[in-house]
Amino acid sequence: MADKAFETLVVHAGKEFAVPTPGGRPVTVPIDMSVGYAQQSMKALDDVFATGEGYVYVRYGTPTVAAFEHAVAALEAAPEAVAYGSGMAALTGAILGAGAKQGSTVVCARDVYGATIALLRDVLGTMGVEMVLVDITDHKVVAEALAAPAACTLVCETVSNPLLVVADVPALAEIAHQQGATLIVDSTFATPYLYRPYLDGVDYVVHSATKYISGHGDVMAGVIACNSARATDLRNRQKSLGANLGPMEAWLALRGIRTLALRMKQQCASAARVAAWLDADPRVAHVNYPGLAHHAQHELTARLFAGKGFGAMISFDLRNAGRAEVFALMEALQLIAPVTTLGDVYSLMLYPAMASHRGLPAEQRKAIGIGDGLVRLSVGIEAPEDIIADLDQALDSAQGAK
């Protein structure tokens, strides 16, 4: 399947797990809900424990989860993938797999998802892991931070949440490896439809599969694409941590993958229209969207994403607005849902200062560009003219709140 187009891969990847039954071969991968698996002999059972090939217990792997993992690995052009119960569980697994431990340092982009900073600060920080935040676009600063003896890994996002800063992933991979560190990239916003970071040297490609990969707002999942040695290490850790993805969730995520290319194509096209409209609206102070010519990484994004689009995420600042005006905007929405997630078929809006970056002090939020008037928009598959109409009337309500 490796020689097939991406649009073909999403439809067929992982289907080898739809094994024949006495009555015929199923078209879709079945949901295998068994907790335990019997073997033909104790020797066979011992071999499964020893090699990891086969199934013995749900925490060690199941056929449905394996099908999802194989599909993601194919989409990312990586040797393997390891599934988790959430995107944050996957990110935690990647950071631990990269060598984070007492006395080590994790270098992290300063404008990543707020929960990522909270994980490093409030969880791993209490275990002796130091966090160093950097401007991911300043490669000299990144290299200097990674040159510290204790630095083990660099963490960033392909497209940052919520400011839509695009990382020069190939350059960052080279910098990290020159310093003897690994590179972890959260590529949730980009998806493998737009970009495959593994091919540019990334060691751990992380996705919150809750978002675009599953795509329908009905499953929580995470996944890491990486090489086989790292996958084995992640699976061994997972057996102890128990951060596994369940078979039902794996099946839902796999079903979502089948339409990933279609959804992303529509969402990227619609987002480009919505962003252009917002950019021309006097009620909006600034729009963050890589597809706009004035975006700082517009040319980089076009190169990395190879003309497939610029993503379906937008963030924008309301002009002369704060919490009250943002609340008025979001309460006036009729089509777009004010919901704390993204990547669904529905258009969704979030207020970062209240939700995704609530855990950051206001001064830190403002320092990286997340002001009180910033909102994040996840463009869905609705007709773009309807999304624009809803934004238009809601922006009027925000103006009236001043």
Short mmCIF file of all heavy atoms in Angstrom, two decimals, residues 68 72 83-91 113 186-189 191-192 206-224 244-245 249-250 252-257 260 263-264 267 313 339-346 348 376 378:
data_model
loop_
_atom_site.label_atom_id
_atom_site.label_comp_id
_atom_site.label_asym_id
_atom_site.label_seq_id
_atom_site.Cartn_x
_atom_site.Cartn_y
_atom_site.Cartn_z
N PHE A 68 -5.80 0.12 13.89
CA PHE A 68 -5.71 1.58 13.91
C PHE A 68 -4.26 2.03 13.88
O PHE A 68 -3.89 2.95 13.13
CB PHE A 68 -6.41 2.11 15.17
CG PHE A 68 -6.19 3.57 15.43
CD1 PHE A 68 -6.66 4.53 14.55
CD2 PHE A 68 -5.48 4.00 16.55
CE1 PHE A 68 -6.45 5.89 14.78
CE2 PHE A 68 -5.25 5.34 16.79
CZ PHE A 68 -5.74 6.29 15.90
N VAL A 72 -2.41 4.40 10.97
CA VAL A 72 -1.71 5.67 11.23
C VAL A 72 -0.26 5.59 10.77
O VAL A 72 0.26 6.54 10.17
CB VAL A 72 -1.79 6.05 12.73
CG1 VAL A 72 -0.91 7.26 13.03
CG2 VAL A 72 -3.24 6.34 13.12
N ALA A 83 -0.87 3.52 19.90
CA ALA A 83 -2.08 4.25 20.25
C ALA A 83 -2.21 4.42 21.75
O ALA A 83 -1.79 3.56 22.54
CB ALA A 83 -3.31 3.52 19.71
N TYR A 84 -2.85 5.52 22.14
CA TYR A 84 -3.07 5.85 23.56
C TYR A 84 -4.51 6.28 23.78
O TYR A 84 -5.23 6.58 22.83
CB TYR A 84 -2.13 6.99 23.98
CG TYR A 84 -0.68 6.59 24.08
CD1 TYR A 84 0.11 6.48 22.95
CD2 TYR A 84 -0.10 6.31 25.32
CE1 TYR A 84 1.44 6.11 23.03
CE2 TYR A 84 1.23 5.94 25.41
CZ TYR A 84 2.00 5.84 24.27
OH TYR A 84 3.32 5.47 24.37
N GLY A 85 -4.88 6.38 25.03
CA GLY A 85 -6.25 6.73 25.38
C GLY A 85 -6.60 8.18 25.16
O GLY A 85 -7.77 8.55 25.18
N SER A 86 -5.61 9.05 24.95
CA SER A 86 -5.85 10.46 24.67
C SER A 86 -4.59 11.06 24.05
O SER A 86 -3.51 10.47 24.10
CB SER A 86 -6.20 11.23 25.96
OG SER A 86 -5.06 11.32 26.80
N GLY A 87 -4.74 12.25 23.50
CA GLY A 87 -3.59 12.94 22.95
C GLY A 87 -2.57 13.29 24.02
O GLY A 87 -1.36 13.20 23.78
N MET A 88 -3.03 13.69 25.20
CA MET A 88 -2.11 14.03 26.28
C MET A 88 -1.37 12.79 26.78
O MET A 88 -0.19 12.87 27.15
CB MET A 88 -2.86 14.70 27.43
CG MET A 88 -3.30 16.12 27.13
SD MET A 88 -1.96 17.21 26.57
CE MET A 88 -0.84 17.15 27.98
N ALA A 89 -2.04 11.64 26.78
CA ALA A 89 -1.36 10.40 27.17
C ALA A 89 -0.27 10.07 26.15
O ALA A 89 0.84 9.64 26.52
CB ALA A 89 -2.36 9.25 27.26
N ALA A 90 -0.55 10.30 24.87
CA ALA A 90 0.45 10.05 23.83
C ALA A 90 1.63 11.00 23.99
O ALA A 90 2.79 10.58 23.88
CB ALA A 90 -0.18 10.21 22.45
N LEU A 91 1.35 12.26 24.24
CA LEU A 91 2.44 13.23 24.41
C LEU A 91 3.29 12.88 25.62
O LEU A 91 4.53 12.94 25.57
CB LEU A 91 1.87 14.64 24.56
CG LEU A 91 2.89 15.75 24.70
CD1 LEU A 91 3.75 15.86 23.44
CD2 LEU A 91 2.21 17.08 24.99
N TYR A 113 0.13 24.23 22.98
CA TYR A 113 -1.11 23.99 23.72
C TYR A 113 -0.85 24.14 25.22
O TYR A 113 0.13 23.63 25.75
CB TYR A 113 -1.59 22.58 23.37
CG TYR A 113 -2.82 22.10 24.08
CD1 TYR A 113 -3.94 22.89 24.23
CD2 TYR A 113 -2.88 20.79 24.55
CE1 TYR A 113 -5.08 22.42 24.85
CE2 TYR A 113 -4.01 20.29 25.17
CZ TYR A 113 -5.11 21.12 25.32
OH TYR A 113 -6.24 20.63 25.94
N ASP A 186 4.02 17.59 17.77
CA ASP A 186 2.58 17.39 17.80
C ASP A 186 2.04 17.92 16.48
O ASP A 186 2.08 19.12 16.22
CB ASP A 186 1.98 18.16 18.99
CG ASP A 186 0.48 17.97 19.12
OD1 ASP A 186 -0.18 17.67 18.11
OD2 ASP A 186 -0.04 18.12 20.24
N SER A 187 1.55 17.03 15.65
CA SER A 187 1.10 17.41 14.31
C SER A 187 -0.41 17.33 14.17
O SER A 187 -0.94 17.13 13.06
CB SER A 187 1.77 16.51 13.26
OG SER A 187 1.81 17.16 12.01
N THR A 188 -1.12 17.53 15.28
CA THR A 188 -2.57 17.42 15.29
C THR A 188 -3.22 18.37 14.29
O THR A 188 -4.12 17.98 13.54
CB THR A 188 -3.11 17.71 16.70
OG1 THR A 188 -2.61 16.73 17.61
CG2 THR A 188 -4.63 17.66 16.73
N PHE A 189 -2.79 19.64 14.26
CA PHE A 189 -3.41 20.62 13.37
C PHE A 189 -3.15 20.31 11.90
O PHE A 189 -4.00 20.60 11.05
CB PHE A 189 -2.87 22.02 13.68
CG PHE A 189 -3.54 22.73 14.83
CD1 PHE A 189 -4.22 22.02 15.81
CD2 PHE A 189 -3.48 24.10 14.96
CE1 PHE A 189 -4.83 22.66 16.88
CE2 PHE A 189 -4.08 24.75 16.02
CZ PHE A 189 -4.76 24.05 16.98
N THR A 191 -2.25 17.20 10.45
CA THR A 191 -2.64 15.85 10.06
C THR A 191 -1.69 15.32 8.98
O THR A 191 -1.05 16.11 8.27
CB THR A 191 -4.08 15.74 9.51
OG1 THR A 191 -4.12 16.14 8.14
CG2 THR A 191 -5.05 16.56 10.34
N PRO A 192 -1.60 14.01 8.82
CA PRO A 192 -0.74 13.48 7.75
C PRO A 192 -1.23 13.82 6.34
O PRO A 192 -0.50 13.64 5.37
CB PRO A 192 -0.76 11.97 8.00
CG PRO A 192 -1.95 11.72 8.85
CD PRO A 192 -2.15 12.94 9.66
N VAL A 206 3.30 13.03 17.17
CA VAL A 206 2.18 12.85 18.09
C VAL A 206 0.92 13.47 17.50
O VAL A 206 0.95 14.54 16.91
CB VAL A 206 2.49 13.51 19.45
CG1 VAL A 206 1.32 13.34 20.42
CG2 VAL A 206 3.77 12.92 20.05
N HIS A 207 -0.19 12.77 17.69
CA HIS A 207 -1.50 13.31 17.30
C HIS A 207 -2.49 13.13 18.45
O HIS A 207 -2.52 12.07 19.09
CB HIS A 207 -2.08 12.56 16.10
CG HIS A 207 -1.39 12.82 14.81
ND1 HIS A 207 -1.65 13.93 14.03
CD2 HIS A 207 -0.44 12.11 14.15
CE1 HIS A 207 -0.89 13.89 12.95
NE2 HIS A 207 -0.14 12.80 13.01
N SER A 208 -3.28 14.17 18.68
CA SER A 208 -4.52 13.96 19.41
C SER A 208 -5.51 13.45 18.38
O SER A 208 -6.10 14.23 17.62
CB SER A 208 -5.02 15.26 20.05
OG SER A 208 -6.29 15.04 20.62
N ALA A 209 -5.69 12.14 18.32
CA ALA A 209 -6.57 11.54 17.32
C ALA A 209 -8.03 11.83 17.62
O ALA A 209 -8.91 11.53 16.80
CB ALA A 209 -6.33 10.03 17.25
N THR A 210 -8.30 12.42 18.77
CA THR A 210 -9.63 12.92 19.09
C THR A 210 -10.08 13.92 18.05
O THR A 210 -11.28 14.05 17.78
CB THR A 210 -9.59 13.63 20.46
OG1 THR A 210 -8.98 12.78 21.43
CG2 THR A 210 -10.97 14.04 20.93
N LYS A 211 -9.12 14.60 17.43
CA LYS A 211 -9.41 15.72 16.54
C LYS A 211 -9.60 15.23 15.10
O LYS A 211 -10.47 14.43 14.83
CB LYS A 211 -8.29 16.75 16.67
CG LYS A 211 -7.93 17.11 18.12
CD LYS A 211 -9.09 17.58 18.95
CE LYS A 211 -8.69 18.21 20.27
NZ LYS A 211 -7.92 17.36 21.19
N TYR A 212 -8.79 15.70 14.17
CA TYR A 212 -9.04 15.45 12.75
C TYR A 212 -8.99 13.98 12.37
O TYR A 212 -9.73 13.54 11.48
CB TYR A 212 -8.02 16.21 11.90
CG TYR A 212 -8.23 17.70 11.92
CD1 TYR A 212 -7.38 18.52 12.65
CD2 TYR A 212 -9.28 18.29 11.22
CE1 TYR A 212 -7.56 19.89 12.67
CE2 TYR A 212 -9.47 19.65 11.24
CZ TYR A 212 -8.61 20.45 11.97
OH TYR A 212 -8.81 21.80 12.00
N ILE A 213 -8.12 13.20 13.00
CA ILE A 213 -7.99 11.80 12.59
C ILE A 213 -9.31 11.06 12.78
O ILE A 213 -9.78 10.36 11.87
CB ILE A 213 -6.83 11.13 13.33
CG1 ILE A 213 -5.50 11.61 12.73
CG2 ILE A 213 -6.93 9.61 13.26
CD1 ILE A 213 -4.27 11.04 13.39
N SER A 214 -9.94 11.19 13.93
CA SER A 214 -11.27 10.58 14.10
C SER A 214 -12.34 11.47 13.49
O SER A 214 -13.23 11.00 12.79
CB SER A 214 -11.57 10.30 15.57
OG SER A 214 -11.56 11.50 16.32
N GLY A 215 -12.28 12.76 13.79
CA GLY A 215 -12.99 13.76 13.01
C GLY A 215 -14.47 13.98 13.25
O GLY A 215 -15.06 14.84 12.60
N HIS A 216 -15.07 13.24 14.18
CA HIS A 216 -16.52 13.36 14.32
C HIS A 216 -16.97 13.65 15.76
O HIS A 216 -18.15 13.54 16.09
CB HIS A 216 -17.21 12.08 13.83
CG HIS A 216 -17.08 11.86 12.37
ND1 HIS A 216 -15.92 11.36 11.79
CD2 HIS A 216 -17.94 12.09 11.34
CE1 HIS A 216 -16.08 11.29 10.48
NE2 HIS A 216 -17.29 11.72 10.18
N GLY A 217 -16.03 14.02 16.62
CA GLY A 217 -16.39 14.43 17.97
C GLY A 217 -16.98 13.34 18.84
O GLY A 217 -17.74 13.63 19.77
N ASP A 218 -16.63 12.07 18.55
CA ASP A 218 -17.25 10.99 19.32
C ASP A 218 -16.24 10.01 19.91
O ASP A 218 -16.61 8.91 20.33
CB ASP A 218 -18.25 10.23 18.44
CG ASP A 218 -17.64 9.72 17.14
OD1 ASP A 218 -16.40 9.80 16.98
OD2 ASP A 218 -18.40 9.25 16.27
N VAL A 219 -14.96 10.38 19.95
CA VAL A 219 -13.96 9.47 20.49
C VAL A 219 -12.77 10.27 21.01
O VAL A 219 -12.42 11.31 20.46
CB VAL A 219 -13.49 8.46 19.41
CG1 VAL A 219 -12.88 9.18 18.22
CG2 VAL A 219 -12.48 7.48 19.97
N MET A 220 -12.18 9.80 22.12
CA MET A 220 -10.93 10.37 22.62
C MET A 220 -9.81 9.37 22.36
O MET A 220 -9.92 8.20 22.70
CB MET A 220 -11.02 10.66 24.13
CG MET A 220 -9.72 11.24 24.70
SD MET A 220 -9.85 11.60 26.47
CE MET A 220 -10.86 13.08 26.40
N ALA A 221 -8.73 9.84 21.72
CA ALA A 221 -7.63 8.94 21.37
C ALA A 221 -6.37 9.75 21.10
O ALA A 221 -6.43 10.94 20.79
CB ALA A 221 -7.99 8.11 20.14
N GLY A 222 -5.24 9.08 21.24
CA GLY A 222 -3.95 9.67 20.89
C GLY A 222 -3.11 8.63 20.20
O GLY A 222 -3.38 7.42 20.30
N VAL A 223 -2.06 9.07 19.50
CA VAL A 223 -1.22 8.11 18.78
C VAL A 223 0.14 8.74 18.53
O VAL A 223 0.26 9.95 18.37
CB VAL A 223 -1.90 7.67 17.47
CG1 VAL A 223 -2.01 8.82 16.48
CG2 VAL A 223 -1.19 6.47 16.84
N ILE A 224 1.17 7.89 18.51
CA ILE A 224 2.53 8.31 18.20
C ILE A 224 3.04 7.47 17.04
O ILE A 224 2.95 6.24 17.07
CB ILE A 224 3.49 8.09 19.39
CG1 ILE A 224 3.00 8.84 20.63
CG2 ILE A 224 4.91 8.51 19.03
CD1 ILE A 224 3.78 8.45 21.90
N ASN A 244 -3.70 2.77 27.61
CA ASN A 244 -4.09 2.16 26.34
C ASN A 244 -5.35 2.76 25.75
O ASN A 244 -6.22 3.27 26.47
CB ASN A 244 -4.31 0.66 26.52
CG ASN A 244 -3.11 -0.04 27.08
OD1 ASN A 244 -2.76 0.15 28.24
ND2 ASN A 244 -2.47 -0.85 26.27
N LEU A 245 -5.47 2.63 24.44
CA LEU A 245 -6.70 2.95 23.74
C LEU A 245 -7.59 1.72 23.73
O LEU A 245 -7.12 0.60 23.50
CB LEU A 245 -6.37 3.36 22.30
CG LEU A 245 -7.55 3.79 21.41
CD1 LEU A 245 -8.18 5.07 21.95
CD2 LEU A 245 -7.09 3.99 19.97
N GLU A 249 -12.94 2.64 20.88
CA GLU A 249 -12.39 3.93 20.47
C GLU A 249 -11.48 3.78 19.24
O GLU A 249 -11.49 4.62 18.34
CB GLU A 249 -11.63 4.57 21.63
CG GLU A 249 -12.49 5.05 22.77
CD GLU A 249 -12.96 3.92 23.70
OE1 GLU A 249 -12.46 2.78 23.56
OE2 GLU A 249 -13.82 4.18 24.56
N ALA A 250 -10.70 2.70 19.22
CA ALA A 250 -9.84 2.44 18.07
C ALA A 250 -10.66 2.25 16.80
O ALA A 250 -10.30 2.75 15.72
CB ALA A 250 -8.97 1.21 18.33
N LEU A 252 -13.70 3.46 16.17
CA LEU A 252 -14.27 4.74 15.78
C LEU A 252 -13.23 5.63 15.11
O LEU A 252 -13.50 6.30 14.10
CB LEU A 252 -14.86 5.46 17.00
CG LEU A 252 -16.18 4.90 17.55
CD1 LEU A 252 -16.48 5.51 18.91
CD2 LEU A 252 -17.32 5.16 16.57
N ALA A 253 -12.02 5.65 15.66
CA ALA A 253 -10.95 6.45 15.07
C ALA A 253 -10.58 5.93 13.69
O ALA A 253 -10.33 6.71 12.76
CB ALA A 253 -9.73 6.46 15.99
N LEU A 254 -10.55 4.61 13.55
CA LEU A 254 -10.23 4.01 12.24
C LEU A 254 -11.32 4.34 11.23
O LEU A 254 -11.02 4.63 10.06
CB LEU A 254 -10.07 2.50 12.40
CG LEU A 254 -9.62 1.71 11.17
CD1 LEU A 254 -8.27 2.21 10.68
CD2 LEU A 254 -9.55 0.22 11.48
N ARG A 255 -12.56 4.32 11.67
CA ARG A 255 -13.65 4.70 10.76
C ARG A 255 -13.50 6.16 10.33
O ARG A 255 -13.72 6.51 9.16
CB ARG A 255 -15.00 4.50 11.45
CG ARG A 255 -16.19 4.80 10.56
CD ARG A 255 -17.51 4.67 11.26
NE ARG A 255 -17.67 5.65 12.34
CZ ARG A 255 -18.81 5.85 12.99
NH1 ARG A 255 -19.87 5.10 12.71
NH2 ARG A 255 -18.88 6.74 13.95
N GLY A 256 -13.09 7.01 11.26
CA GLY A 256 -12.89 8.41 10.92
C GLY A 256 -11.78 8.61 9.90
O GLY A 256 -11.87 9.49 9.03
N ILE A 257 -10.74 7.82 9.99
CA ILE A 257 -9.62 7.93 9.05
C ILE A 257 -10.09 7.79 7.61
O ILE A 257 -9.54 8.43 6.70
CB ILE A 257 -8.54 6.87 9.38
CG1 ILE A 257 -7.68 7.35 10.56
CG2 ILE A 257 -7.66 6.56 8.18
CD1 ILE A 257 -6.66 6.33 11.03
N LEU A 260 -10.69 11.10 6.10
CA LEU A 260 -9.76 12.18 6.48
C LEU A 260 -9.41 13.06 5.28
O LEU A 260 -9.44 14.29 5.37
CB LEU A 260 -8.49 11.59 7.10
CG LEU A 260 -7.38 12.59 7.45
CD1 LEU A 260 -7.87 13.60 8.47
CD2 LEU A 260 -6.15 11.86 7.97
N ARG A 263 -12.43 15.21 4.22
CA ARG A 263 -12.74 16.25 5.20
C ARG A 263 -11.70 17.37 5.17
O ARG A 263 -12.03 18.56 5.16
CB ARG A 263 -12.83 15.64 6.60
CG ARG A 263 -14.09 14.81 6.82
CD ARG A 263 -14.19 14.31 8.25
NE ARG A 263 -13.30 13.19 8.55
CZ ARG A 263 -12.21 13.24 9.29
NH1 ARG A 263 -11.82 14.40 9.81
NH2 ARG A 263 -11.49 12.16 9.53
N MET A 264 -10.42 16.99 5.17
CA MET A 264 -9.37 18.00 5.22
C MET A 264 -9.35 18.87 3.96
O MET A 264 -9.11 20.07 4.02
CB MET A 264 -8.01 17.34 5.43
CG MET A 264 -7.77 16.88 6.85
SD MET A 264 -7.86 18.23 8.07
CE MET A 264 -6.48 19.26 7.56
N GLN A 267 -12.22 21.28 4.48
CA GLN A 267 -12.00 22.18 5.59
C GLN A 267 -10.90 23.20 5.29
O GLN A 267 -10.99 24.36 5.68
CB GLN A 267 -11.70 21.38 6.86
CG GLN A 267 -12.96 20.70 7.40
CD GLN A 267 -12.69 19.70 8.51
OE1 GLN A 267 -12.26 18.58 8.25
NE2 GLN A 267 -12.94 20.09 9.75
N MET A 313 -7.53 25.57 10.80
CA MET A 313 -7.57 26.31 12.05
C MET A 313 -7.26 27.78 11.80
O MET A 313 -6.36 28.12 11.04
CB MET A 313 -6.57 25.75 13.05
CG MET A 313 -6.82 24.31 13.45
SD MET A 313 -8.42 24.04 14.27
CE MET A 313 -8.30 25.17 15.65
N VAL A 339 -17.37 25.30 21.69
CA VAL A 339 -17.04 24.02 22.32
C VAL A 339 -15.53 23.89 22.45
O VAL A 339 -14.78 24.31 21.57
CB VAL A 339 -17.62 22.85 21.50
CG1 VAL A 339 -17.18 21.51 22.06
CG2 VAL A 339 -19.14 22.93 21.45
N THR A 340 -15.10 23.27 23.54
CA THR A 340 -13.67 23.15 23.85
C THR A 340 -13.04 21.94 23.17
O THR A 340 -12.63 20.99 23.84
CB THR A 340 -13.47 23.09 25.37
OG1 THR A 340 -14.22 24.13 25.98
CG2 THR A 340 -12.01 23.25 25.75
N THR A 341 -13.00 21.96 21.86
CA THR A 341 -12.28 20.96 21.10
C THR A 341 -12.09 21.50 19.70
O THR A 341 -12.37 22.68 19.44
CB THR A 341 -13.01 19.60 21.10
OG1 THR A 341 -12.19 18.61 20.46
CG2 THR A 341 -14.36 19.68 20.43
N LEU A 342 -11.63 20.67 18.78
CA LEU A 342 -11.39 21.13 17.41
C LEU A 342 -11.33 19.92 16.49
O LEU A 342 -11.33 18.78 16.93
CB LEU A 342 -10.08 21.93 17.33
CG LEU A 342 -8.80 21.17 17.72
CD1 LEU A 342 -8.06 20.66 16.49
CD2 LEU A 342 -7.87 22.06 18.52
N GLY A 343 -11.29 20.19 15.19
CA GLY A 343 -11.09 19.13 14.22
C GLY A 343 -12.31 18.30 13.90
O GLY A 343 -12.19 17.26 13.24
N ASP A 344 -13.49 18.72 14.33
CA ASP A 344 -14.72 18.00 14.03
C ASP A 344 -15.25 18.37 12.65
O ASP A 344 -14.76 19.31 12.01
CB ASP A 344 -15.80 18.33 15.06
CG ASP A 344 -15.61 17.60 16.37
OD1 ASP A 344 -14.62 16.86 16.49
OD2 ASP A 344 -16.45 17.76 17.27
N VAL A 345 -16.30 17.69 12.24
CA VAL A 345 -17.01 18.09 11.03
C VAL A 345 -17.76 19.40 11.27
O VAL A 345 -18.09 20.12 10.33
CB VAL A 345 -18.00 17.00 10.56
CG1 VAL A 345 -17.24 15.79 10.03
CG2 VAL A 345 -18.95 16.58 11.68
N TYR A 346 -18.03 19.71 12.54
CA TYR A 346 -18.70 20.95 12.90
C TYR A 346 -17.67 22.07 13.04
O TYR A 346 -16.54 21.84 13.46
CB TYR A 346 -19.42 20.81 14.24
CG TYR A 346 -20.16 19.52 14.43
CD1 TYR A 346 -19.61 18.48 15.19
CD2 TYR A 346 -21.42 19.32 13.86
CE1 TYR A 346 -20.28 17.29 15.37
CE2 TYR A 346 -22.10 18.13 14.05
CZ TYR A 346 -21.53 17.11 14.79
OH TYR A 346 -22.19 15.93 14.97
N LEU A 348 -16.22 25.00 15.18
CA LEU A 348 -16.17 25.16 16.64
C LEU A 348 -15.33 26.38 16.99
O LEU A 348 -14.34 26.68 16.33
CB LEU A 348 -15.54 23.92 17.28
CG LEU A 348 -16.14 22.56 16.90
CD1 LEU A 348 -15.25 21.42 17.37
CD2 LEU A 348 -17.53 22.43 17.50
N ARG A 376 -10.23 31.20 18.89
CA ARG A 376 -9.74 30.18 17.96
C ARG A 376 -10.93 29.55 17.26
O ARG A 376 -11.91 29.16 17.90
CB ARG A 376 -8.97 29.11 18.74
CG ARG A 376 -8.26 28.08 17.86
CD ARG A 376 -7.74 26.93 18.70
NE ARG A 376 -8.83 26.04 19.12
CZ ARG A 376 -8.71 25.06 20.02
NH1 ARG A 376 -7.56 24.87 20.62
NH2 ARG A 376 -9.74 24.29 20.33
N SER A 378 -12.15 26.54 14.64
CA SER A 378 -11.92 25.30 13.90
C SER A 378 -13.01 25.21 12.83
O SER A 378 -14.19 25.06 13.14
CB SER A 378 -12.00 24.10 14.85
OG SER A 378 -11.97 22.87 14.15
#
